Amino acid sequence: MKQNAVLERSPVGAKPLRQRFSGALLRYRWFYLMMVPGLLYYAIYHYVPMAGLIIAFKNYSLGKGILGSEWVGFDNFNIIFHTPDFYKLLRNTLLISVYRILFNMVPDVLLALMLNEVRVLWFKKIIQTVTYGPYFLSWVIVYGLAVAFLAQDSGIVNYYTRELGGTAVNYLASNEYFRPIILLTDMWKSTGFGAIIYLAALATINQELYEAAVVDGAGRWKQLWHVTLPGIRDVFILLLILRIGHIMDAGFEQIYIFLNARVYEVGDIIDTWVFRRGLEELEFSIAIATNLFKSVIGFILIIGANKLAKKFGGSGIW
């Protein structure tokens, strides 16, 4: 009798739940509708193509197709790890990525902090526009500007170097200057965009905290140290975790455009090597296997970075 009573009540109890769900779905239908394009984008361009990862374990042939190609197991990974230049490529990739993290995140924060202290609104808007503008330029245009300044024969820098009695330097084809040029151009292009993210974080800090700090006798530097920096700490950690997760991506587009045969020793990275092997030599299995290796390493790094962030008091990603 008791069991029958429960069975009889369960549909009655479940009906309000369904009604609440359908009511919420109807009430927020426009929000769910706006999510559809983003969900479709990730489904079509990020999840459906993951079925092609099986190519990494096959000797892929365009004629035979994915399903008809021969299974080779981990042979493609053995080829990658025994490639003579693999460890040089890995070293260059990691070094350039680490340099980007170390030298590109701090300017974003510094610019945001300086703009946050500007009280003249029109001057602040001008600085934001000037620093944010390069973000919209393609790397081809940035490389053209670099050539205009640094070319050995016609560059502005070398022109004045010769005028002052010095010797022209081929900066763009020098192992010594390649990485600094990569870092400086990336910093010039992306600092303005990064600063806007931190400015948004600064806008969310409760102004009462500054008022309390002033009452306690804190000056501008102590307010910066005890209120402002803690206020953007979580955003900084979040961006740091995301950058660590992409540490195997050293910026293919920029490197590919700036790269030339003379600087392969310090500038050739995994992605440029994959481009040559995968698209120029049509070794698709090697390219997919390399990208799978990168993805696994990135996944491990982002999990580890998230755990470390939580361990030291950060919010992490999840």
Side-chain angles (χ1 to χ4, degrees):
M1 292 292 292
K2 187 175 181 180
Q3 184 178 2
N4 291 336
V6 172
L7 292 175
E8 289 176 0
R9 288 197 303 270
S10 59
V12 179
K15 187 175 181 180
L17 180 62
R18 288 197 297 268
Q19 288 180 346
R20 289 197 298 270
F21 176 75
S22 60
L25 191 62
L26 183 63
R27 188 180 310 113
Y28 301 111
R29 61 187 181 278
W30 299 115
F31 293 100
Y32 291 119
L33 187 62
M34 286 189 291
M35 290 174 57
V36 171
L39 293 175
L40 287 176
Y41 167 79
Y42 279 99
I44 295 172
Y45 294 103
H46 289 268
Y47 287 97
V48 173
M50 289 180 69
L53 290 176
I54 61 174
I55 295 176
F57 305 96
K58 289 190 169 191
N59 183 16
Y60 177 69
S61 170
L62 287 172
K64 296 179 180 179
I66 296 177
L67 298 179
S69 298
E70 178 187 358
W71 285 96
V72 295
F74 291 95
D75 288 353
N76 292 322
F77 295 93
N78 287 329
I79 293 174
I80 294 169
F81 297 141
H82 289 87
T83 298
D85 293 334
F86 174 75
Y87 293 102
K88 180 190 72 176
L89 297 169
L90 184 61
R91 180 198 65 199
N92 292 339
T93 302
L94 293 176
L95 280 176
I96 292 175
S97 295
V98 170
Y99 290 156
R100 285 178 186 271
I101 293 174
L102 293 177
F103 297 106
N104 284 17
M105 292 192 70
V106 174
D108 298 351
V109 177
L110 292 177
L111 179 60
L113 293 175
M114 288 188 290
L115 288 174
N116 190 56
E117 295 297 322
V118 176
R119 296 295 177 259
V120 181
L121 188 59
W122 64 266
F123 180 72
K124 182 177 181 178
K125 288 183 177 180
I126 291 175
I127 297 300
Q128 281 185 283
T129 303
V130 170
T131 56
Y132 190 46
Y135 179 76
F136 296 100
L137 300 178
S138 70
W139 279 115
V140 175
I141 296 176
V142 175
Y143 179 72
L145 293 173
V147 170
F149 279 91
L150 302 175
Q152 185 175 11
D153 297 327
S154 59
I156 296 174
V157 174
N158 280 315
Y159 171 78
Y160 284 106
T161 300
R162 286 191 294 267
E163 288 293 316
L164 295 173
T167 303
V169 178
N170 193 359
Y171 294 101
L172 297 174
S174 170
N175 288 338
E176 182 180 359
Y177 294 103
F178 180 78
R179 289 175 185 165
I181 291 172
I182 291 294
L183 293 173
L184 289 173
T185 51
D186 183 53
M187 188 186 306
W188 175 75
K189 188 174 186 295
S190 61
T191 297
F193 178 78
I196 286 180
I197 298 175
Y198 289 108
L199 282 172
L202 289 169
T204 64
I205 299 176
N206 191 346
Q207 295 301 311
E208 293 180 357
L209 296 175
Y210 290 105
E211 295 173 2
V214 171
V215 172
D216 290 338
R220 298 301 299 175
W221 287 107
K222 288 189 176 181
Q223 291 177 41
L224 174 68
W225 185 258
H226 295 288
V227 179
T228 305
L229 292 180
I232 62 174
R233 182 188 62 180
D234 289 343
V235 176
F236 183 85
I237 292 174
L238 173 63
L239 295 177
L240 178 61
I241 292 172
L242 294 176
R243 282 179 177 259
I244 290 175
H246 290 277
I247 201 168
M248 299 296 289
D249 301 321
F252 166 75
E253 185 179 356
Q254 181 192 13
I255 299 295
Y256 182 75
I257 291 172
F258 278 77
L259 192 64
N260 57 75
R262 294 187 179 182
V263 294
Y264 271 12
E265 185 65 28
V266 296
D268 198 17
I269 59 174
I270 292 176
D271 284 345
T272 53
W273 179 80
V274 167
F275 182 84
R276 294 195 300 272
R277 294 292 294 264
L279 293 182
E280 295 180 2
E281 301 178 18
L282 301 182
E283 296 184 9
F284 297 107
S285 296
I286 299 296
I288 297 298
T290 307
N291 282 323
L292 180 58
F293 164 74
K294 285 174 47 186
S295 299
V296 171
I297 298 299
F299 178 75
I300 294 172
L301 288 174
I302 203 168
I303 293 292
N306 189 68
K307 288 186 176 180
L308 284 175
K310 287 186 174 181
K311 183 177 180 180
F312 290 102
S315 59
I317 297 180
W318 62 87

